Structure formats: structure tokens, C-alpha cells
Amino acid sequence: PVEPDRAATGRWLLRYLGVRASAAGDTLITLVATAPDGPWSGLGEKLSARLPGLRGLTLDVTPEPTNAIFAGAERPLWGAADLAETYGPVTVRLTGAGFGQVNRDQAAALYAAAPRAALAPLASGAPTTTVQDLFTGAGALALTVARTAGPGGPAILGIERDAAAVERGSAAAAAQGLEGHCTFVAGDA
């Protein structure tokens, strides 16, 4: 058995359990534990037998007592380490700890309106050559703006502190034919 969080006694292993479910019905479970070693062996197989949509089980180790839910150092225990999620015309890969819009209806409305707002200065003749998406995460919004702007539009720059999210954004841009038009960099916005 996995001992639950008992911060008051200092004896704990499992702190949190994160569940990410995609619109397609795929699920990724992230265990947040205080140590990398635990009773994880065979857990993915057992869970997948009960959860047909389970695509992956990851572990995020956060040894220090903190209010931060994820340390951002996930490692796969079983199956996939991320899930594909589609927002409007673009698809990105999200990890258990990575940011993704949870309200898909609101995300659809946001991703429909934001490109129009971001590109509006171009319609009025403003000398915009680059549109920046700050705190871009895996790049869903930046990619949506790039797709809306088209190949002749401005360059789209996504800025994100999480280097792993920047890699996922760059991979998504390449997979969707937007590399060179939509670029992601790691940095503090």
C-alpha cells in the first residue's frame, strides 16, 4: 500500500495524484511523491486493466514540503509521458504537470477570438512584424495565431520558462508545418 501524505509526522510518500483527460478520452495519471522509489512497479498495468483510456502513468518527485503541486521533473512509469490535445485547428502534447486549458468550451472561444485580437493591428496598418505569446506553455495559442495569420503573416514568438514545454511547442509547430513561422524560446516573460 502507498502511505498518504502525512506532513505533520514527516512520514509520507504519495502527496498528490494528478489526472489529465483529453477530449479524445485518453487519460494520463501523474503521481506526485516525496521520493522516486516506491511501490510503483506494475501499477500502470493494474490501472490500465481498470481504466481502458489510460495511456500513461508518470511520477513527479517533490521531496520538499511545499505548496507547489508539481516539481516539473516527471518521468514515465508506464506508457506515454504525455497526451495529445486539440484546441481548434492545432494539436499540442501536454504532460501531467504542464498547463492546458481545462474548460474546452471556453478554450475554443478564447482560441477563436485571440488570433483576431492579436492580428488586428496589422489590419490597421501598424508595423507589427512579430506577435508574442507570453507564458505560452506548449504553444496552443501561439500555434492558433500562426495558423490564422498564414504564411505571409507576422512571425509568432512563444515565450515560456519551462524548457520542456518549449520543446513540445517546437515539435507541435514542426508537426503542423508551422516551423519558421512560429518559434518558441525558453525565457522568463
Side-chain angles (χ1 to χ4, degrees):
V2 177
E3 188 173 341
D5 186 344
R6 295 189 185 163
T9 65
R11 294 178 38 223
W12 36 310
L13 180 59
L14 184 63
R15 297 186 70 190
Y16 305 102
L17 177 82
V19 179
R20 179 179 298 281
S22 71
D26 294 333
T27 305
L28 176 67
I29 295 177
T30 301
L31 305 173
V32 180
T34 59
D37 300 322
W40 320 127
S41 180
L43 185 58
E45 290 83 0
K46 290 175 186 173
L47 289 172
S48 69
R50 293 182 177 205
L51 304 168
L54 183 65
R55 297 296 173 253
L57 176 67
T58 61
L59 177 67
D60 189 296
V61 177
T62 307
E64 301 299 322
T66 175
N67 288 333
I69 294 176
F70 298 106
E74 292 172 274
R75 70 175 172 95
L77 294 173
W78 175 87
D82 60 15
L83 289 180
E85 185 64 273
T86 300
Y87 295 105
V90 301
T91 299
V92 294
R93 308 255 353 144
L94 301 174
T95 64
F99 175 78
Q101 298 290 341
V102 294
N103 185 324
R104 290 185 186 95
D105 292 338
Q106 286 299 69
L110 170 67
Y111 292 175
R116 289 191 301 269
L119 299 170
L122 295 175
S124 65
T128 303
T129 58
T130 303
V131 173
Q132 296 181 7
D133 177 15
L134 307 180
F135 310 101
T136 193
L141 187 55
L143 292 165
T144 302
V145 173
R147 179 150 324 271
T148 301
I156 311 300
L157 176 63
I159 302 173
E160 171 61 46
R161 183 177 12 190
D162 179 0
V166 169
E167 288 177 23
R168 287 190 303 280
S170 297
Q176 295 168 73
L178 296 170
E179 70 275 348
H181 182 56
C182 187
T183 306
F184 296 92
V185 296
D188 190 349

